């Protein structure tokens, strides 16, 4: 079907920029080879061989991108939220992740993760596996089977873990090579590897240098965490006295490749770090649910956008508890409103359009031409049946989108398209 041309009728809405909402109500979108060709108010003159797909009266929105989550933590999400980051990692996260050396267990959990991402309309993800190479390959295989696009990372951590979850520096390098080799099998299905130093405290200088050399040699993207929690920031200062700040611990080892790095959280930033985000075109993974759950703080999202820094959203499973990225949109807005109130208006609130942009075009920018509706972009979309929200009073298309995000969930998503093809529910046999 992806090479075919077809016409879709529906109410289309997307945000080409954080400030811009593009609405095409009761319009016709022409799709060919999985790509959007045109969006017209009037039905174009088409040949009788071109199929018309009728989503009339339904909302059609870009597919979601979740640019920060941890697959193994699907099991422990929701647990231990009366702790802060560092004790939470040691008490819940690390012991659970050690279980992913077991293939049957990995299979059981990762089937659910990928199936639930499909259900939630998350067509693109940037995800941490565990440090186990086989588990990481299994995760890639699940994404490929489901037809979802992802960057998957085998975690690197050769220090400061618990006994049952650790690797030597040498094993971390060797296993990363093995992972990168195996990952080649999935590239044609848009499932790609991403280097994943867990965070600076987890990696020795030697391992950081080696990973940076891989970035330079193979032009690989990277994902990691920065400035999540004040205790963590102080710890990084002790571990890397030669670096000028936390973000520089990555840059000093060539781990901030231009436009190819994702940094999760980014809450407690210095002015110099804000400059570095901008200079290196780092994509920020804003994870408001996780940041509340672990009492980490509130990321100044408005300031990031005003500086022209790219921002996407992460569910951060299991620091975050909910996979549907609509919840992250809601939480990003709530967090920004609290920050505005508590800072006596020193920080600005973000708009709904800005938060929705983060969940679609913002995060999608890491994947290329996706996340908005314009000619030349892939038709990656969700069809929403929102009749239950419009039966009491008429709503504009923009209001319907807000209703879906704030009052709906994945049960309202009736069809998912990636690269122009309908994605059926994944089957695992
Ligand atoms: Zn994380």
């Amino acid at each position: 079907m992806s090479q075919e041309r077809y016409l879709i009728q529906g109410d289309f809405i997307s945000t080409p920029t954080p400030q811009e909402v593009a609405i095409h109500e009761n319009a016709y979108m022409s799709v060919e080879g999985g790509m959007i060709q045109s969006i017209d108010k009037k039905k174009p003159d088409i040949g009788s061989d071109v199929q018309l797909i009728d989503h009339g009266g339904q909302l059609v929105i870009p597919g979601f991108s979740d640019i920060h989550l941890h697959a193994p933590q699907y099991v422990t999400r929701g647990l231990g939220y009366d702790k802060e980051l560092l004790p939470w990692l040691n008490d819940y996260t690390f012991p659970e992740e050690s279980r992913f050396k077991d293939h049957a267990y990995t299979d059981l959990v990762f089937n659910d993760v990928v199936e639930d991402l499909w259900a939630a309309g998350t067509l693109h993800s940037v995800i941490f596996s565990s440090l186990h190479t086989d588990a990481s390959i299994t995760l890639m295989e699940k994404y490929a089977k489901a037809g979802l696009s992802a960057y998957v990372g085998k975690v690197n951590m050769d220090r400061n873990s618990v006994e049952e979850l650790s690797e030597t520096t040498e094993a971390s390098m060797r296993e990363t090579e093995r992972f990168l080799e195996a990952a080649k099998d999935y590239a044609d299905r848009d499932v790609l590897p991403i280097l994943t130093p867990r965070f600076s405290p987890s990696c020795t200088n030697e391992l950081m240098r080696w990973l940076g050399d891989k970035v330079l040699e193979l032009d690989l993207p990277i994902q990691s965490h920065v400035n999540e929690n004040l205790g963590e920031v102080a710890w990084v200062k002790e571990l890397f006295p030669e670096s000028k700040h936390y973000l520089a611990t990555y840059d000093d080892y060539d781990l901030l490749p231009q436009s190819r790095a994702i940094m999760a959280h980014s809450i407690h930033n210095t002015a110099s770090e804000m400059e570095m985000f901008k200079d290196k075109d780092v994509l920020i993974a804003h994870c408001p649910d996780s940041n509340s759950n672990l009492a980490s703080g509130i990321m100044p999202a408005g300031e990031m956008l005003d500086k022209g820094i790219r921002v996407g959203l992460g569910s951060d499973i299991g620091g975050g508890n909910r996979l549907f990225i609509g919840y992250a949109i809601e939480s990003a807005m709530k967090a920004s409103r609290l920050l505005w109130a508590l800072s006596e208006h020193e920080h600005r609130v973000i708009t709904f359009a800005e938060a929705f942009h983060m969940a679609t075009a913002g995060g999608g920018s890491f994947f290329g031409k996706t996340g908005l509706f314009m000619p030349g972009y892939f038709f990656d979309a969700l069809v929403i049946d929102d009749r239950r929200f419009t039966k009491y009073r008429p709503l504009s298309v923009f209001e319907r989108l807000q209703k879906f995000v704030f009052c709906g969930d994945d049960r309202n998503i009736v069809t998912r398209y990636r690269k122009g093809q309908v994605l059926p529910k994944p089957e695992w046999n």
Side-chain angles (χ1 to χ4, degrees):
M1 172 149 160
S2 78
Q3 294 315 308
E4 279 176 25
R5 179 170 170 221
Y6 57 88
L7 210 56
I8 292 196
Q9 185 179 9
D11 298 328
F12 301 91
I13 182 166
S14 72
T15 45
T17 70
Q19 291 78 33
E20 192 186 342
V21 183
I23 296 170
H24 301 273
E25 190 170 3
N26 196 21
Y28 297 85
M29 181 185 282
S30 167
V31 177
E32 191 169 358
M35 275 190 155
I36 300 167
Q37 305 296 316
S38 62
I39 311 169
D40 301 292
K41 185 73 196 151
K42 248 187 78 193
K43 188 176 171 186
D45 226 353
I46 51 165
S48 57
D49 57 326
V50 176
Q51 190 192 354
L52 174 68
I53 300 169
D54 185 6
H55 291 306
Q58 293 179 318
L59 207 52
V60 185
I61 70 170
F64 292 128
S65 286
D66 185 343
I67 60 163
H68 185 74
L69 74 163
H70 300 254
Q73 296 176 28
Y74 206 50
V75 178
T76 48
R77 74 203 157 109
L79 303 178
Y81 292 162
D82 44 10
K83 295 175 188 292
E84 280 189 57
L85 175 68
L86 300 176
W88 178 78
L89 285 172
N90 284 317
D91 293 353
Y92 281 97
T93 307
F94 293 162
E96 173 59 32
E97 282 196 21
S98 72
R99 300 177 70 189
F100 288 79
K101 57 181 174 291
D102 176 332
H103 181 69
Y105 185 66
T106 300
D107 218 44
L108 179 75
V109 176
F110 287 0
N111 279 352
D112 287 350
V113 171
V114 173
E115 192 171 315
D116 291 353
L117 283 164
W118 170 87
T122 302
L123 307 185
H124 295 88
S125 9
V126 187
I127 191 164
F128 283 53
S129 179
S130 64
L131 56 77
H132 308 100
T133 305
D134 292 335
S136 308
I137 297 165
T138 298
L139 186 57
M140 294 189 100
E141 194 183 306
K142 307 278 178 207
Y143 271 107
K145 251 190 188 159
L148 298 171
S149 173
Y151 281 97
V152 175
K154 172 233 171 299
V155 171
N156 294 99
M157 52 187 313
D158 65 341
R159 67 170 171 177
N160 292 323
S161 185
V162 293
E163 204 185 311
E164 61 268 37
L165 187 75
S166 58
E167 53 182 7
T168 63
T169 308
E170 195 275 328
S172 191
M173 296 172 186
R174 190 184 62 234
E175 287 299 302
T176 301
E177 295 277 18
R178 186 162 79 84
F179 171 65
L180 293 174
E181 190 54 39
K184 289 177 183 166
D185 289 350
Y186 305 99
D188 62 345
R189 281 162 288 171
D190 301 326
V191 181
L192 299 161
I194 183 165
L195 291 180
T196 306
R198 178 172 211 116
F199 65 153
S200 302
S202 295
C203 298
T204 58
N205 305 36
E206 190 188 355
L207 184 57
M208 296 278 268
R209 181 66 266 155
W210 185 86
L211 290 167
D213 288 343
K214 281 282 141 198
V215 167
L216 297 175
E217 181 194 332
L218 302 171
D219 189 26
L220 288 165
I222 90 125
Q223 61 176 345
S224 198
H225 301 86
V226 78
N227 293 333
E228 179 174 0
N229 168 293
L230 291 172
E232 169 211 21
V233 174
W235 189 28
V236 170
K237 210 171 234 165
E238 277 171 35
L239 292 170
F240 292 87
E242 69 287 358
S243 291
K244 68 176 172 189
H245 43 60
Y246 191 165
L247 187 60
T249 64
Y250 299 108
D251 191 45
D252 289 350
Y253 296 93
D254 298 307
L255 288 167
L256 288 185
Q258 192 70 27
S259 309
R260 300 270 282 159
I262 290 184
M263 284 289 144
H265 308 305
S266 312
I267 301 169
H268 308 285
N269 315 304
T270 62
S272 158
E273 285 170 308
M274 291 287 275
E275 287 303 316
M276 197 178 268
F277 287 138
K278 172 79 181 134
D279 290 347
K280 298 280 178 174
D281 192 27
V282 172
L283 176 58
I284 305 297
H286 181 24
C287 307
D289 273 322
S290 169
N291 299 156
S292 306
N293 288 337
L294 298 175
S296 301
I298 303 178
M299 194 194 86
E303 281 78 354
M304 296 253 181
L305 294 173
D306 291 344
K307 274 198 171 304
I309 296 168
R310 280 191 298 149
V311 183
L313 290 178
S315 64
D316 194 23
I317 298 296
N321 47 313
R322 303 177 302 177
L323 196 63
F324 174 58
I325 216 70
Y327 295 135
I329 298 174
E330 174 187 333
S331 296
M333 286 191 69
K334 285 181 174 165
S336 113
R337 299 180 81 75
L338 285 174
L339 186 61
W340 176 81
L342 296 173
S343 69
E344 290 173 356
H345 310 185
E346 188 194 318
H347 292 275
R348 77 163 174 91
V349 294
I350 57 169
T351 64
F352 176 79
E354 286 172 332
F356 185 75
H357 180 272
M358 290 176 195
T360 51
S365 66
F366 208 67
F367 293 83
K369 297 281 188 190
T370 186
L372 59 111
F373 297 145
M374 238 199 294
Y377 276 72
F378 284 107
F379 184 55
D380 296 332
L382 310 175
V383 181
I384 313 298
D385 184 346
D386 64 337
R387 275 173 297 184
R388 60 193 289 249
F389 301 130
T390 54
K391 69 180 184 187
Y392 310 113
R393 53 171 285 178
L395 298 172
S396 70
V397 173
F398 188 50
E399 287 172 330
R400 286 166 60 196
L401 178 63
Q402 295 171 51
K403 267 283 189 193
F404 163 62
V405 167
F406 278 91
C407 307
D409 56 37
D410 55 4
R411 287 171 295 182
N412 302 109
I413 305 173
V414 289
T415 311
R416 298 142 186 88
Y417 289 89
R418 197 175 80 77
K419 285 193 167 174
Q421 287 189 292
V422 173
L423 289 180
K425 186 176 176 180
E427 286 187 29
W428 301 119
N429 310 315

